[in-house]
Amino acid sequence: MQTLSALFIGLGSIGTRHLKNLHAICARRGIRLEADALRSDLSRPLRPGVAELLRAQATDAAALGQYDMAFITNPTSLHADALKAIRGKAGALFIEKPIFSAEQTGLDPADLMPAGQKAYVAAPMRWCGAMLALKKLLPTLHPYCARVICSSYLPDWRPGVDYRTVYSAHRALGGGVTIDLIHEWDYLVDLFGTPEEVHNFKGTYSELELDSDDLSVYIARWPHMLGEVHLDYFGRGYRRSIELFCRDGSVVADFGAGTLTLPDGTVQSYAEDVNERYLREMDYFVGYALGEETESLNPPATACRVLKLTLGELV
């Protein structure tokens, strides 16, 4: 049986999800997984059931050996330090989005990794059923403009966790709706390329107890179309969709409902558990680490360009 070794740096909610999904994908592929964790404090309790998924836990990066893959899933502001700490120690890197914090846009990921390092930056929205269906349909459309919204209520994001204690609520930790909801700009660039011009207005407008921005609105221009993007932390009903106004009518991909509405009014259903997109992404990454995929679908250089876009900076 083939064996893969993996190192996790950060085992919060998203790191735990990736660890569990990595185990599931390796089991599906008939691969034996050996997963370790690099932690700052071994006395801090892990989430229930996580310790059983690990082979070992360590605090000294310098003492680590080589791994087939490593997952950078700690707070955004610490990604650069993590990359430095394990430089040259992993065959393939999975870096949680965003790649860096808003204050670190001047960093060049090439300076933090060895030449030729395989690396992929998380982009789970690309892997959901409705998005995959939209991408398949896109070559037949002629969009004049796109209207994108992601509206949700931050206190509901992590049940049982006080939203005021998580990174999203604190700009210094890499939070804020502008950078936290980088998914929207990631998939827009994936669908249409980099826009020629972007204007962004953002700030804190609700009564949520946070010091990060809770509203961000954009107008963008591509050579062939315009785009509107709305991101917020305070919407009381989850809304996540893209509407394309096209030559033959409108197309709406509703990622919350898992539907794709065609210009003739036909509604196609791609409803699925949200974890399915993460499983597809993990299956891709394992294949990438094994050499089945030759190119990263979201390399660090692209992720840095998207980071600047979501912050309202021209590329």
Side-chain angles (χ1 to χ4, degrees):
M1 177 181 288
Q2 185 176 15
T3 299
L4 281 179
S5 58
L7 177 69
F8 279 78
I9 303 178
L11 284 170
S13 58
I14 192 62
T16 297
R17 181 191 290 273
H18 290 322
L19 175 61
K20 291 179 178 179
N21 285 343
L22 179 60
H23 272 278
I25 293 300
C26 285
R28 187 183 299 176
R29 285 172 167 258
I31 296 172
R32 180 171 178 263
L33 175 64
E34 296 178 344
D36 295 347
L38 178 63
R39 306 181 62 202
S40 59
D41 182 3
L42 295 182
S43 67
R44 185 177 179 181
L46 292 168
R47 292 166 184 254
V50 172
E52 291 82 354
L53 300 177
L54 298 172
R55 177 183 62 177
Q57 302 178 48
T59 57
D60 183 6
L64 295 174
Q66 294 294 124
Y67 292 87
D68 295 309
M69 57 184 73
F71 290 78
I72 310 298
T73 49
N74 55 351
T76 303
S77 59
L78 301 178
H79 286 182
D81 290 340
L83 289 169
K84 293 176 186 177
I86 63 166
R87 181 185 176 97
K89 292 181 178 291
L93 298 175
F94 184 111
I95 307 169
E96 188 52 44
K97 63 83 190 168
I99 185 169
F100 300 131
S101 69
E103 293 76 24
Q104 299 171 321
T105 55
L107 290 176
D108 184 346
D111 295 335
L112 304 174
M113 307 174 192
Q117 174 70 62
K118 299 177 71 171
Y120 167 80
V121 181
M125 284 292 294
R126 299 191 192 185
W127 301 93
C128 73
M131 180 64 76
L132 294 172
L134 176 62
K135 289 188 70 173
K136 186 176 180 179
L137 182 66
L138 191 60
T140 69
L141 304 175
H142 299 272
Y144 304 137
C145 66
R147 184 163 59 190
V148 170
I149 185 169
C150 185
S151 175
S152 59
Y153 192 50
L154 180 61
D156 291 341
W157 278 27
R158 303 169 179 89
V161 177
D162 186 343
Y163 77 92
R164 294 167 294 188
T165 67
V166 302
Y167 77 91
S168 297
H170 302 285
R171 181 177 176 81
L173 295 180
V177 73
T178 298
I179 193 170
D180 213 0
L181 297 181
I182 197 172
H183 294 290
E184 271 56 42
W185 272 112
D186 173 77
Y187 79 66
L188 278 170
V189 170
D190 187 44
L191 290 174
F192 303 115
T194 302
E196 294 180 331
E197 188 176 4
V198 177
H199 296 278
N200 174 226
F201 298 92
K202 57 179 175 281
T204 307
Y205 293 92
S206 75
E207 284 70 43
L208 290 173
E209 296 179 47
L210 40 72
D211 59 37
S212 59
D213 50 284
D214 59 12
L215 176 64
S216 196
V217 178
Y218 307 77
I219 297 292
R221 178 172 59 83
W222 285 262
H224 62 290
M225 60 178 276
L226 295 179
E228 312 163 50
V229 180
H230 170 108
L231 311 174
D232 75 58
Y233 273 156
F234 46 71
R236 293 304 182 99
Y238 179 65
R239 296 175 63 191
R240 193 167 217 167
S241 65
I242 179 172
E243 182 174 9
L244 299 178
F245 297 86
C246 308
R247 181 183 62 190
D248 300 321
S250 297
V251 173
V252 180
D254 186 326
F255 305 116
T259 58
L260 183 66
T261 302
L262 306 181
D264 64 2
T266 301
V267 179
Q268 299 176 346
S269 178
Y270 299 94
E272 60 187 3
D273 185 88
V274 70
N275 197 49
E276 289 301 315
R277 70 187 64 169
Y278 292 97
L279 286 168
R280 291 189 190 104
E281 182 178 49
M282 187 60 69
D283 189 58
Y284 154 76
F285 181 71
V286 170
Y288 175 56
L290 290 173
E292 298 170 1
E293 305 285 346
T294 58
E295 295 185 6
S296 171
L297 292 182
N298 194 27
T302 299
C304 283
R305 288 198 298 272
V306 171
L307 172 61
K308 291 179 180 180
L309 274 173
T310 199
L311 293 172
E313 301 175 10
L314 290 177
V315 178

